[in-house]
Amino acid sequence: MPVAAPDLLLDPWWARLPAPGEPGTPARHTLVAVLSAEFPAHTVVQLPGGRRPRDWRIAVQADVDGSRVHRVEVALPGAPLLWYVELPEPAARPAASTVVAFSDPRFPDGTLLDAARARREGVDGGSQVGALRWWPGTGLVHQIYVTPDHRRRGVGNKLSRAVFGMQAARGLPHLHGDGRRTELGEEWRNGLHAAVAARMAPLSEVMPAMTPSDAAGPIRR
């Protein structure tokens, strides 16, 4: 019987590479998700050089203590350039976070801004191409949205993989979904690899279509 190929969101091993930092700032490293049989899945391997393994899929540059992620690159052929703003919601119960994706060339692909820098740079949420809100403590996805003009281009796939990498770099649970989704969300789930779709419970409730209105306008959080 054929054995299904491992899928990135379930079975990567991780390479830990040194990453340059700035004087007086916390030490950084890059964690690279690799989809190959070279090491067992979920193993973290310290590699002395800065070169990424050939079959890498996600590269996350973060502080060694996991407190801050600076960059998340996703190897997804055909997907557009994306950079991100993370908007934590520590007062939510449970604490939540939203990553808003943008696709203009203002920043290099994979750049992750915090809210303070986004404000300084004048980032306007109205120019977003997608957003994902989730509960980091459990990995449960609450909402994922892609603007109509950017659907079926790989934005949702790339965005979810970026957040997957952020969770891994922070030592937090993998992303997963419950059975409450919009019709577009269910269509997106049906297009996923079966092993990844299994992380999202069968559809139990159709939710109203989402809009990005709450993230439109200048970034303020």
Side-chain angles (χ1 to χ4, degrees):
M1 178 181 295
V3 177
D7 186 272
L8 170 64
L9 299 187
L10 294 177
D11 297 311
W13 61 271
W14 294 85
R16 181 183 285 120
L17 309 176
E22 299 178 2
T25 63
R28 298 182 186 181
H29 62 185
T30 299
L31 289 173
V32 182
V34 185
L35 202 59
S36 76
E38 186 175 357
F39 295 99
H42 314 299
T43 302
V44 179
V45 180
Q46 184 78 37
L47 298 182
R51 186 173 181 178
R52 298 172 187 173
R54 182 181 60 183
D55 296 316
W56 76 275
R57 294 295 184 270
I58 302 177
V60 187
Q61 186 183 117
D63 292 346
V64 171
D65 63 7
S67 60
R68 183 177 176 187
V69 175
H70 300 272
R71 188 180 183 91
V72 189
E73 296 175 76
V74 176
L76 191 63
L81 175 152
L82 292 180
W83 54 272
Y84 314 95
V85 176
E86 184 176 14
L87 303 173
E89 302 172 45
R93 292 293 179 267
S97 193
T98 298
V99 166
V100 184
F102 301 82
S103 195
D104 61 80
R106 185 172 178 179
F107 296 99
D109 185 61
T111 300
L112 178 66
L113 308 182
D114 60 18
R117 185 177 175 192
R119 287 194 299 270
R120 292 196 302 270
E121 299 285 354
V123 175
D124 189 330
S127 61
Q128 68 177 279
V129 299
L132 189 152
R133 185 178 189 268
W134 81 108
W135 290 284
T138 63
L140 179 63
V141 175
H142 178 215
Q143 296 178 333
I144 183 168
Y145 176 83
V146 177
T147 59
D149 290 347
H150 290 83
R151 290 173 186 164
R152 297 177 177 83
R153 298 185 184 181
V155 171
N157 199 345
K158 187 171 181 177
L159 173 58
S160 60
R161 288 170 184 248
V163 176
F164 170 87
M166 292 167 58
Q167 286 283 102
R170 292 166 174 163
L172 296 172
H174 289 327
L175 290 184
H176 64 280
D178 60 16
R180 298 175 296 172
R181 287 185 288 279
T182 64
E183 291 181 353
L184 282 172
E186 180 65 4
E187 181 180 337
W188 176 71
R189 177 188 182 272
N190 290 338
L192 296 173
H193 185 288
V196 181
R199 285 193 173 274
M200 304 176 69
L203 182 66
S204 61
E205 181 180 355
V206 177
M207 303 297 289
M210 292 177 289
T211 70
S213 58
D214 59 343
I219 299 294
R220 301 186 184 280
R221 293 179 192 169

